[in-house]
Amino acid sequence: MNKVQIIIQARMTSTRLPGKVLLPLCNSTVLQVMLERLQDLTENVIVATTDDGSEHPIVALCQRLGVKYFQGSTEDVLSRYYLAARQFGAQDNTAIVRLTSDCPLIDADLVRQAITYYHNHDVDMVSLGPHSGFPRGLDTCVFAFRLLARTHQLATSAPDREHVTLGMAKFNTMNSHIISAGDDHSHYRLTLDEPDDYTAIQAIYQQLDNRLDFGYSELLETLKNYPHLADINKHVEQKTV
């Protein structure tokens, strides 16, 4: 897939669940599971980790798997994205795909759908996340490198520097598209922020025999057929910006 960089932000210093991206999952780790679920897109993946000294296990995993990586600011995630993209040759029209490493149930087909829509329509950003009807934990956002570069140049507030896409509309006239799930399944929480999220994700994978080769439809069917899985972490509140 030409002119696409899939940048996954990953760090070891999460405040609510330190080291969460390397917690055991499916005889592997959370981050490796995510990378393997994106296997067909691996050549486009860049893991954007930190340079604070805690990132060595993430770097070692990337080296072992042959995945590109970049080490940058822990708090200024916007600069980490910009510098990672630039280091690996991003041009103005390169499509940047933002993913976060707390999504081990990410769906490669949905990521591909967002990229395809972006390439085939006159839009500045395509997203699949909040307000889309999809569960939290499948979040995907696609935008041009030129948008990232301009936001990096102009953004000054701490939230804008930390959350990458938060300030984009402040500095750019944007035409955005949200991919719809068709139905509202946003009550399912599939992201990894707290210990109960980890318990829920482990239970989901165990219900699926620790396979990695399932798609969104099978995942959704599993959640509907085994409602106790979603009850494990339904009380966890998403951290606000």
Side-chain angles (χ1 to χ4, degrees), residues 9 24 27 34 74-75 81 83 87 116 142-143 180-181 185 191 199 214 219 221 225-226:
Q9 61 191 75
N27 300 314
M34 184 175 180
T74 303
E75 303 300 332
Y81 263 78
L83 293 172
Q87 175 166 308
T116 299
V142 187
F143 46 86
S180 173
H185 300 300
T191 191
T199 301
F214 58 88
L219 172 60
E221 194 67 21
N225 290 339
Y226 302 95

Side-chain angles (χ1 to χ4, degrees), residues 43-100:
E43 65 180 25
N44 300 93
V45 168
I46 303 164
V47 173
T49 189
T50 61
D51 60 2
D52 56 19
S54 67
E55 75 283 355
H56 298 310
I58 295 175
V59 170
L61 176 64
C62 291
Q63 290 174 334
R64 180 167 62 83
L65 298 178
V67 174
K68 295 186 288 289
Y69 65 91
F70 174 83
Q71 295 163 260
S73 172
T74 303
E75 303 300 332
D76 188 354
V77 189
L78 179 58
S79 75
R80 200 193 317 164
Y81 263 78
Y82 169 75
L83 293 172
R86 195 177 68 175
Q87 175 166 308
F88 288 98
Q91 304 295 317
D92 278 356
N93 63 343
T94 300
I96 305 297
V97 183
R98 182 189 181 215
L99 302 180
T100 57

Side-chain angles (χ1 to χ4, degrees), residues 3-29:
K3 297 184 178 178
V4 175
Q5 292 182 348
I6 301 172
I7 303 181
I8 305 174
Q9 61 191 75
R11 62 176 179 145
M12 294 294 291
T13 54
S14 171
T15 54
R16 287 180 288 175
L17 192 58
K20 64 183 181 181
V21 302
L22 292 185
L23 287 173
L25 186 63
C26 300
N27 300 314
S28 179
T29 63

